């Protein structure tokens, strides 16, 4: 479903993605972890071309993402993206935030979009909040709205870029619960996170990155209990003790 | 005809240089005096002394609320009635100092007020005097906020010196105005005047843009 | 000094001042409307990325910002006739104010657009909105909030700038003061009255600007 072939990317001199080869199949849940600056966010931002790559190929659903293709818009519609800092539109209500893309990109009627949006809002457990503005919500609620916004386009893939890192500890659970529910519905997901509990519970595969390279992949149990490389072992011990 | 006027204009170029010199002189003296007075007023405006705050506030409101040209007329025509006879040049400097310091006062006060209360409290609890608190802790931090708009204000002040031409100070704009009577090529004459102003103020605009970007990064 | 302040003369000239006030008011409103249109167009050209309209827009904005308004006024006042264009002083003045404020407004709008967090743009991109849609639904509504207070500030500047039109004999508020000074030689009465009227306009506009500052700025809530 998603395929990286020899992908390279530089920020100036910094080699942020170093010869990445990766296949993600339909329905798979992939957790990406690694120290900060390891290129993990860049990796998933490349999937919907928030970042351009300089070398290699990225194929999503048999279309080439790295090429200047005209149906990039349609492609992005098929991929939901959730940011670390939520990035809800502060001048719109929760409902308007969710409806914006379905109405303007998919061109479905407002009535239809509202129905879908309310359903998605229900799914993230915020039924009563449709009229609220982002500033009136807690961080956890805002992030759940952001997930609903991504889901409203009925995407086949959901990408999460450290969805819980900006949250207070007591709010992390509610967001992870929503994500676990998504997994049980069979969504294909790529999640950049350090939440080990989440990874162990639902991930099919854990991918460890450092200095722009994929250092290690494995099932969550393999990875967390018996990492193959020293770098991974060191990283795991750090996130365990903090 | 245009070529003829152009050659006349070239002939009298020293006249324009004198104007440029006068403009630079007024601008230079004004920028220094405005900055000094502006900082003192700005610190007073951001102080806890209510009376001081109000008095400076009224001063600032009066200056900001009226056109500079009206302020010049008041200084040049009314002070003599009260027995204070001023030549055009010192009157121009006085008007610039009053006007410029009020604007800089607001910039400085804004900068100082942007510093969190905790910084004052930390400085107080380590036993610094008020002057030390300002000099060592508050103003150095506030400078980041103050500097970009301050340089922007300098550009405005340089341009505002053109208005003192109305009381007959022979600066750049006045030179243009006098010349255009003899050489009736308004576009040419005032293009030249414009170019000369551009040569002083554009470097400052670039500096202001640069500072804004740099401070935004930090 | 206030003992011999002659209120009787002020009352005598009051009708003239009111006409001048109305004139300043009308000049300002027309100029602001035109300047806003000019500024929006100049800003659109400036951020368009199309070179043949981008660079002229930059040149226009930078030339205006680095030369004094008074020189621009004289440029048009003495310059337009040499091009064979003879228009009333008041129109010359309005054109000058329009061009001058237009450049500043273009920069205000651009700053407003740049102030919108990049994440907002990315959120729009990743849900598949195109450039026009992102501008219309995400960037401009938020930029508007941060733009309105400085725009009102620019209006204050423009009203005060319109006083310079008195120097090309446009009959507005400041010109009334000059007339009264030359007819009766009472500069104190004349210019303090003029100043008083400007202060009234200033306080009204300032109150609006402060109010909009409090009300209109949306911030992304973290």
């Amino acid at each position: 479903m998603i395929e990286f072939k020899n992908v390279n990317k530089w920020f100036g001199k910094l080699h942020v993605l170093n010869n990445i080869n990766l296949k993600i199949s339909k329905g798979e849940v992939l957790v990406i972890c690694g120290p900060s600056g390891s290129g993990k966010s860049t990796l998933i931002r490349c999937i919907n071309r928030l970042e351009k790559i300089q070398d290699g190929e990225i194929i999503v659903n048999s279309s080439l993402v790295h090429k200047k293709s005209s149906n990039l818009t349609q492609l992005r519609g098929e991929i939901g993206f959730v940011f670390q800092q939520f990035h809800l539109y502060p001048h719109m209500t929760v409902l308007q935030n969710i409806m914006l893309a379905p109405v303007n990109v998919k061109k479905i009627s407002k009535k239809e979009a509202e129905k879908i949006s309310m359903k998605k809002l229900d799914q993230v457990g915020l039924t009563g909040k449709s009229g609220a503005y982002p500033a009136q919500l807690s961080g956890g609620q805002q992030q759940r709205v952001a997930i609903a916004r991504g889901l409203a386009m009925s995407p086949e893939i959901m990408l999460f870029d450290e969805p819980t890192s900006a949250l207070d500890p007591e709010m992390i659970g509610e967001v992870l619960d929503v994500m676990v529910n998504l997994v049980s519905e069979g969504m294909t997901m790529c999640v950049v996170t350090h939440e080990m509990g989440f990874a162990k519970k639902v991930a099919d595969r854990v991918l460890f990155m450092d200095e722009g390279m994929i250092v290690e992949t494995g099932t969550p149990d393999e990875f967390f209990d018996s990492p193959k490389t020293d770098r991974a072992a060191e990283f795991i011990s750090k996130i365990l003790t903090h | 005809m245009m070529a003829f006027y152009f050659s006349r204009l070239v002939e009298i170029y020293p006249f324009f240089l004198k104007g440029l010199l006068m403009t630079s002189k007024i601008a230079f003296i004004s920028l220094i005096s405005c900055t000094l007075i502006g900082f003192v007023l700005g610190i007073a405006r951001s102080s806890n002394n209510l009376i001081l705050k109000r008095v400076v506030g009224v001063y600032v409101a009066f200056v900001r609320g009226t056109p500079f040209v009206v302020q010049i007329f008041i200084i040049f025509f009314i002070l003599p009635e009260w027995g204070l006879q001023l030549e055009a040049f010192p009157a121009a400097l006085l008007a610039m100092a009053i006007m410029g310091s009020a604007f800089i006062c607001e910039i400085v006060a804004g900068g100082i007020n942007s510093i969190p209360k905790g910084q004052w409290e930390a400085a107080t609890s380590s036993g610094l005097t008020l002057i030390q608190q300002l000099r060592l802790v508050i103003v150095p931090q506030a400078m980041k906020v103050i500097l970009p708009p301050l340089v922007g204000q300098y550009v405005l002040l340089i341009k505002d010196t053109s208005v003192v031409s109305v009381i007959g100070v022979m600066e750049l704009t006045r030179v243009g105005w006098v010349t255009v009577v003899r050489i009736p090529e308004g576009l040419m004459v005032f293009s030249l005047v414009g170019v000369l102003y551009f040569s002083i103020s554009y470097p400052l605009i670039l500096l202001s843009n640069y500072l804004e970007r740099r401070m935004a990064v930090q | 000094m206030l003992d011999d302040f002659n209120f009787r003369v002020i009352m005598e000239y009051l009708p003239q001042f009111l006409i001048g006030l109305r004139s300043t008011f009308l000049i300002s409103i027309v100029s602001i409307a035109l300047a806003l249109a000019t500024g929006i167009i100049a800003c659109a050209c400036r951020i368009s990325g199309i070179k043949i309209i981008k660079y002229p827009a930059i040149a226009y904005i930078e030339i205006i910002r680095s030369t004094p308004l008074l020189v621009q006024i004289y440029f048009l006042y003495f310059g337009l006739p040499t091009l064979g264009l003879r228009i009333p002083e008041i129109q010359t003045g309005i054109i000058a104010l329009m061009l001058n404020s237009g450049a500043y407004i273009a920069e205000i709008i651009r700053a407003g657009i740049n102030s919108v967090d990049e994440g907002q743009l990315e959120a729009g991109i990743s849900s598949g909105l195109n450039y026009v849609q992102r501008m219309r639904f995400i960037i401009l509504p938020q930029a508007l909030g941060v733009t309105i207070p400085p725009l009102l500030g620019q209006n204050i500047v423009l009203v005060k700038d319109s006083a310079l039109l008195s120097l090309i004999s446009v009959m507005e508020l400041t010109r009334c003061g000059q007339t009264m000074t030359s007819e009766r030689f009472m500069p104190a009465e004349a210019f303090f009255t003029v100043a008083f009227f400007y202060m009234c306009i200033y306080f009204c506009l300032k109150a609006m600007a402060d109010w909009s500052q409090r009300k209109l700025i949306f911030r992304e809530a973290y």
Side-chain angles (χ1 to χ4, degrees):
Chain A
M1 188 156 212
I2 304 174
E3 190 172 2
F4 282 64
K5 282 185 188 165
N6 302 319
V7 172
N8 281 289
K9 179 176 173 62
W10 290 265
F11 283 134
K13 277 188 177 167
L14 189 69
H15 203 164
V16 274
L17 293 181
N18 190 345
N19 211 28
I20 302 287
N21 283 290
L22 177 66
K23 258 188 180 164
I24 302 164
S25 42
K26 195 167 169 60
E28 190 178 357
V29 177
L30 177 73
V31 163
I32 306 170
C33 60
S36 65
S38 58
K40 51 194 192 313
S41 289
T42 312
L43 183 85
I44 69 163
R45 286 164 64 90
C46 287
I47 297 175
N48 71 347
R49 228 180 82 172
L50 278 176
E51 306 281 354
K52 287 178 191 142
I53 57 172
Q54 277 106 24
D55 187 30
E57 286 187 339
I58 299 176
I59 304 155
V60 176
N61 271 348
S62 73
S63 47
L64 300 168
V65 181
H66 59 286
K67 288 266 168 64
K68 264 204 166 177
S69 66
S70 53
N71 50 11
L72 195 62
T73 315
Q74 188 213 330
L75 180 86
R76 280 173 177 152
E78 292 165 4
I79 305 173
F81 199 103
V82 176
F83 297 87
Q84 180 178 358
Q85 300 285 4
F86 334 138
H87 296 319
L88 294 181
Y89 310 127
H91 59 299
M92 297 180 183
T93 63
V94 165
L95 187 63
Q96 288 168 332
N97 260 282
I98 303 173
M99 283 170 58
L100 184 69
V103 170
N104 292 289
V105 179
K106 275 198 168 171
K107 310 283 181 200
I108 62 177
S109 72
K110 281 206 166 155
K111 219 170 165 187
E112 186 69 15
E114 191 173 330
K115 228 168 79 189
I116 296 171
S117 303
M118 292 306 272
K119 223 174 88 192
K120 300 299 175 192
L121 210 50
D122 209 27
Q123 193 179 341
V124 299
L126 289 171
T127 317
K129 297 287 185 188
S130 64
Y133 282 91
Q136 297 164 322
L137 303 179
S138 73
Q141 290 172 326
Q142 289 190 53
Q143 192 61 300
R144 285 189 280 155
V145 173
I147 294 173
R149 181 172 70 178
L151 291 174
M153 293 289 280
S154 321
E156 297 181 34
I157 304 164
M158 284 291 284
L159 307 173
F160 295 83
D161 186 4
E162 306 206 26
T164 55
S165 310
L167 296 177
D168 291 336
E170 76 270 19
M171 293 171 181
I172 293 175
E174 59 189 70
V175 172
L176 291 179
D177 286 347
V178 169
M179 291 166 63
V180 170
N181 280 337
L182 271 181
V183 174
S184 63
E185 284 170 22
M187 178 71 73
T188 311
M189 287 166 56
C190 273
V191 187
V192 173
T193 185
H194 293 162
E195 291 298 330
M196 246 176 59
F198 174 79
K200 280 192 167 167
K201 197 163 159 192
V202 298
D204 297 308
R205 199 152 46 119
V206 176
L207 190 149
F208 174 69
M209 286 185 74
D210 195 14
E211 293 176 347
M213 284 178 285
I214 297 176
V215 177
E216 188 172 332
T217 57
T219 65
D221 292 337
E222 282 169 10
F223 177 74
F224 288 112
D225 299 336
S226 48
K228 283 171 276 188
T229 58
D230 292 345
R231 274 196 273 185
E234 192 192 349
F235 174 77
I236 292 165
S237 72
K238 270 185 193 153
I239 59 169
L240 279 178
T241 50
H242 85 180
Chain B
M1 206 55 180
M2 234 172 101
F4 167 71
Y5 284 132
F6 186 72
S7 64
R8 292 258 333 251
L9 201 57
V10 171
E11 272 167 37
I12 58 165
Y13 85 95
F15 193 37
F16 279 86
L17 283 188
K18 260 190 195 157
L20 182 64
L21 192 71
M22 188 52 150
T23 291
S24 312
K25 202 158 129 189
I26 298 171
F28 186 71
I29 300 173
S30 306
L31 293 196
I32 291 177
S33 57
C34 292
T35 308
L36 292 177
I37 306 170
F39 265 82
V40 173
L41 292 179
I43 288 167
R45 181 117 168 85
S46 59
S47 75
N48 288 328
N49 186 328
L50 267 185
I51 299 171
L52 207 55
K53 223 170 163 165
R54 289 274 159 75
V55 171
V56 178
V58 170
Y59 169 78
V60 169
F62 183 78
V63 173
R64 293 180 69 119
T66 53
F68 184 43
V69 66
V70 173
Q71 293 164 19
I72 293 181
F73 284 142
I74 288 178
I75 287 170
F76 193 63
F77 290 123
I78 300 177
L79 286 188
E81 289 205 343
W82 297 344
L84 190 64
Q85 205 75 36
L86 276 182
E87 295 285 320
F89 181 66
L93 290 182
L94 181 63
M96 285 295 297
I98 290 173
M99 187 271 293
S101 61
F103 280 88
I104 291 177
C105 162
E106 286 293 88
I107 293 172
V108 172
I112 292 177
N113 289 335
S114 75
I115 304 300
K117 272 267 176 303
Q119 291 294 314
W120 287 101
E121 286 167 2
T124 313
S125 43
S126 42
L128 300 179
T129 66
L130 184 62
I131 301 290
Q132 285 173 323
Q133 290 175 22
L134 278 167
R135 190 168 61 86
L136 301 172
V137 180
I138 305 302
V139 173
Q141 295 185 62
M143 277 319 277
K144 275 184 196 163
V145 184
I146 292 173
L147 212 48
L150 183 65
V151 177
Q153 188 63 48
Y154 285 167
V155 178
L156 295 179
L157 289 181
I158 290 173
K159 291 190 288 171
D160 280 337
T161 60
S162 65
V163 181
V164 305
S165 63
V166 299
I167 52 171
V169 180
M170 258 307 165
E171 45 67 79
L172 210 39
T173 306
R174 183 78 183 169
V175 166
W177 195 82
V178 171
T179 308
V180 85
V181 179
R182 287 186 286 162
I183 305 176
E185 277 290 339
L187 293 179
M188 211 194 295
V189 172
F190 282 100
S191 295
L192 177 60
V193 172
V195 166
L196 293 174
Y197 273 110
F198 187 89
S199 69
I200 331 180
S201 54
Y202 196 62
L204 271 180
I205 290 185
L206 292 182
L207 178 65
S208 156
N209 290 348
Y210 166 76
L211 287 173
E212 212 146 280
R213 273 199 309 276
R214 237 195 87 181
M215 299 302 167
V217 170
Q218 287 182 346
Chain C
M1 57 181 90
L2 270 180
D3 310 338
D4 40 41
F5 202 77
N6 195 333
F7 284 101
R8 203 181 43 79
V9 179
I10 293 176
M11 290 316 288
E12 191 184 317
Y13 272 81
L14 196 60
Q16 273 203 31
F17 277 120
L18 290 179
I19 291 171
L21 183 66
R22 199 186 63 172
S23 177
T24 288
F25 199 66
L26 290 178
I27 290 171
S28 302
I29 287 186
V30 173
S31 306
I32 286 164
L34 292 172
L36 194 61
T38 312
I40 291 171
I41 294 168
C43 178
C45 295
R46 174 83 169 79
I47 62 173
S48 67
I50 306 166
K51 280 181 184 157
I52 45 166
I53 59 174
K54 181 182 165 189
Y55 288 112
I58 292 178
Y60 157 67
I61 292 168
E62 298 298 329
I63 288 173
I64 292 288
R65 291 205 310 157
S66 49
T67 53
L69 171 62
L70 186 55
V71 172
Q72 292 157 15
I73 293 173
Y74 285 155
F75 180 81
L76 294 175
Y77 180 69
F78 292 110
L80 289 183
T82 59
L83 291 177
L85 271 170
R86 292 190 186 281
I87 55 173
E89 291 90 353
I90 187 163
Q91 290 178 20
T92 308
I94 288 174
I95 294 173
L97 290 175
M98 167 189 93
L99 290 175
N100 185 272
S101 272
Y104 287 94
I105 289 174
E107 286 297 274
I108 290 172
I109 297 173
R110 195 165 70 96
I113 289 172
N114 286 341
S115 77
V116 178
D117 186 82
E118 193 164 2
Q120 292 287 312
L121 207 63
E122 289 186 345
I125 292 173
S126 34
S127 48
L129 298 173
N130 63 34
Y131 180 80
V132 176
Q133 290 170 330
R134 293 198 299 266
M135 271 291 169
R136 184 171 146 213
F137 296 116
I138 301 172
I139 307 296
L140 288 182
Q142 292 184 58
L144 198 67
V146 274
T147 303
I148 283 176
L151 274 183
L152 289 172
Q154 183 60 35
N155 287 355
I156 296 177
V157 171
L158 189 142
V159 170
K160 289 193 291 169
D161 280 349
S162 72
L164 290 180
L165 301 195
S166 64
L167 302 177
I168 55 168
S169 15
V170 174
M171 203 57 205
E172 44 67 77
L173 199 45
T174 308
R175 188 75 183 170
C176 290
Q178 290 170 1
T179 315
M180 182 174 155
T181 305
S182 59
E183 284 175 9
R184 294 293 175 89
F185 210 76
M186 288 189 176
E189 286 81 352
F191 288 115
F192 278 124
T193 310
V194 169
F196 170 78
F197 282 121
Y198 278 112
M199 295 290 288
C200 293
I201 304 177
Y202 170 74
F203 279 121
C204 293
L205 288 173
K206 181 106 168 57
M208 275 164 68
D210 289 347
W211 179 83
S212 68
Q213 180 89 39
R214 283 196 309 274
K215 286 282 166 186
L216 287 174
I217 296 188
F218 288 99
R219 284 265 172 261
E220 188 168 359
Y222 289 142

